[in-house]
């Protein structure tokens, strides 16, 4: 179990993590989502005991991290964004080294074999220096699991992975969670965690702006969002409406994709008519989860 209680980290008077309260139950895969600079890495560094909170606390299985750093390190596995390995050693030798650091005895042989099979590297005998990014990432997960942790924390685990690498990573994480390990995954890309996480929280400017299961997140606040596609014969001006939460223009402003809290097609048609812009098409669709998340990020922007 991973828990944060009113967790804060302030750098030079500016909060990087601001009053974060969250709980990830055993065996759950939780996605910590947020744009760059939202405070994900700072949260993870506090959870792993690598930096201390300015105030508040975080816990792994009811042990406070800041006051029990050694015990907590034995209970968790951590995979940073860029995992370090000895390039001239094989996967097995690298894991052997990590296992020894945890003071594991002869039982480490069996654990290493089990983990290499889990991540599909059991037949690879070359040195890690010659590994692809996907292979390094899989070995990173094995390294994070070497000490039989009750919780693993992965910082941007799919960064720079190709689709096969992402699929492999998802399969492994599901297996790890099925075995009862609590997993916290950080990412700024929703689609990369939505397929593997059972629940998620969204950080914006250090604050948790929403959290829950995917279904809850899609409906929090009760305000379903609507996506509107516009195509015009001449370029569009900036479009403004209190109901508008996001706008993306394309093809020299001949096309736009808008996210709004209500259907504002009539209002948009009036605005464009007044601007002398002829409409080719104006359509609305139900939003996908990406749009809902984009609106949370935008909401977080207004919180500074
Ligand atoms: N050591 C530090 N000193 C000063 N400011 C810091 C430090 N570490 C992080 N910050 C600031 O805290 C904020 C949160 O950063 P953090 O790295 O936690 O965000 P993030 O969500 O992990 O972003 P990214 O996805 O880009 O890694 C940022 O504004 C960052 O500049």
């Amino acid at each position: 179990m991973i828990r944060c209680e009113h967790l804060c980290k302030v750098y030079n008077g500016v909060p990087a993590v601001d009053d974060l309260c969250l709980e990830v139950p055993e065996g759950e895969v939780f996605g910590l989502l947020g744009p760059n600079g939202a405070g994900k890495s700072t949260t993870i560094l506090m959870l792993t005991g690598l930096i201390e909170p300015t105030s508040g606390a975080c816990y792994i299985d009811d042990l406070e991290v800041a006051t029990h750093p050694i015990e907590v390190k034995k209970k968790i596995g951590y995979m940073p964004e860029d995992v370090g390995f000895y390039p001239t050693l094989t996967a097995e030798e690298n894991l052997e080294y990590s296992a020894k650091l945890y003071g594991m005895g002869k039982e480490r042989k069996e654990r290493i074999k089990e983990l290499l099979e889990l991540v599909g590297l059991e037949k690879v005998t070359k040195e890690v220096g010659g590994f692809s990014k996907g292979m390094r990432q899989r070995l990173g997960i094995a390294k994070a699991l070497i000490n039989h942790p009750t919780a693993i924390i992965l910082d941007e685990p799919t960064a720079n992975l190709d689709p096969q690498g992402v699929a492999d990573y998802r399969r492994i994480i599901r297996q790890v969670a099925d075995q009862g390990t609590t997993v916290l995954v950080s990412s700024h890309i929703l689609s990369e965690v939505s397929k593997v996480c059972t629940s998620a929280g969204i950080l914006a400017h250090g604050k948790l702006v929403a959290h829950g299961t995917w279904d809850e997140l899609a409906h929090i606040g009760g305000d379903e969002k609507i996506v509107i596609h516009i195509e015009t014969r001449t370029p569009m001006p900036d479009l403004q409406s209190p109901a508008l939460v996001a706008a993306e223009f394309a093809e020299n402003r001949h096309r736009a994709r808008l996210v709004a809290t209500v259907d504002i097609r009539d209002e948009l048609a009036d605005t464009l008519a007044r601007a002398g812009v002829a409409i080719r098409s104006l359509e609305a669709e139900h939003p996908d989860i990406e749009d809902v998340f984009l609106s949370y990020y935008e909401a977080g922007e207004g919180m500074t």
Side-chain angles (χ1 to χ4, degrees):
M1 196 259 296
I2 298 173
R3 195 167 88 243
C4 299
E5 278 180 9
H6 302 288
L7 191 64
C8 296
K9 183 71 187 180
V10 178
Y11 288 116
N12 309 320
V14 181
V17 173
D18 194 356
D19 200 29
L20 176 65
C21 295
L22 106 95
E23 188 169 321
V24 187
E26 198 180 305
E28 190 152 313
V29 184
F30 181 85
L32 188 61
L33 282 158
N36 293 124
K40 304 179 296 295
S41 298
T42 306
T43 302
I44 286 177
L45 291 175
M46 288 190 278
L47 281 171
T48 48
L50 294 170
I51 59 169
E52 285 198 11
T54 307
S55 62
C58 45
Y59 302 82
I60 304 288
D61 294 344
D62 287 329
L63 273 181
E64 188 183 349
V65 178
T67 52
H68 301 80
I70 311 275
E71 292 96 316
V72 165
K73 282 194 182 76
K74 287 182 189 154
K75 279 182 166 286
I76 56 166
Y78 168 47
M79 188 173 87
E81 200 173 335
D82 200 6
V83 199
F85 295 110
Y86 291 98
T88 55
L89 301 184
T90 64
E92 187 180 348
E93 288 163 348
N94 267 281
L95 292 181
E96 182 73 40
Y97 184 82
S98 301
K100 281 186 184 157
L101 285 182
Y102 277 106
M104 292 170 80
K106 284 201 179 110
E107 79 281 7
R108 68 178 185 270
K109 294 275 176 213
E110 191 51 37
R111 181 64 176 160
I112 290 169
K113 185 169 171 282
E114 190 178 287
L115 288 173
L116 286 173
E117 278 169 15
L118 173 75
V119 301
L121 292 173
E122 71 277 21
K123 295 200 177 80
V124 181
T125 50
K126 67 176 165 183
E127 294 174 354
V128 169
F131 273 24
S132 68
K133 284 194 175 109
M135 291 164 83
R136 285 181 70 87
Q137 206 75 334
R138 284 187 275 148
L139 183 58
I141 297 176
K143 186 178 171 182
L145 288 167
I146 192 83
N147 56 326
H148 296 276
T150 58
I152 58 166
I153 297 172
L154 315 172
D155 199 355
E156 300 274 356
T158 52
N160 307 316
L161 285 192
D162 62 18
Q164 183 59 51
V166 174
D168 290 342
Y169 143 79
R170 285 191 191 127
R171 176 187 53 79
I172 295 164
I173 293 304
R174 262 186 231 113
Q175 265 178 271
V176 169
D178 286 347
Q179 290 164 7
T181 312
T182 309
V183 184
L184 185 142
V185 178
S186 87
S187 181
H188 62 280
I189 305 165
L190 167 76
S191 58
E192 295 200 349
V193 292
S194 64
K195 291 201 176 72
V196 75
C197 296
T198 37
S199 61
I202 302 166
L203 272 184
H205 298 287
K207 279 189 186 293
L208 194 67
V209 291
H211 74 285
T213 61
W214 294 113
D215 210 34
E216 284 163 352
L217 284 167
H219 294 97
I220 278 172
D223 48 346
E224 288 264 0
K225 306 288 188 295
I226 185 158
V227 178
I228 300 170
H229 294 276
I230 315 176
E231 205 183 327
T232 54
R233 291 181 196 283
T234 48
M236 274 173 266
D238 274 338
L239 299 169
Q240 277 165 2
S241 164
L244 195 61
V245 287
E248 280 169 47
F249 292 94
E251 290 177 31
N252 291 327
R253 300 179 80 94
H254 283 78
R255 276 179 194 270
R257 183 172 180 279
L258 312 176
V259 183
T261 51
V262 290
D263 190 351
I264 49 169
R265 278 179 292 172
D266 290 348
E267 188 183 326
L268 291 168
D270 287 345
T271 307
L272 292 171
R274 274 200 304 277
V277 176
I279 297 171
R280 209 188 277 270
S281 68
L282 180 58
E283 284 161 15
E285 65 172 45
H286 286 298
D288 60 23
I289 192 105
E290 287 280 357
D291 298 306
V292 177
F293 274 77
L294 186 61
S295 70
Y296 283 125
Y297 283 11
E298 304 269 332
E301 292 296 315
M303 294 174 72
T304 47

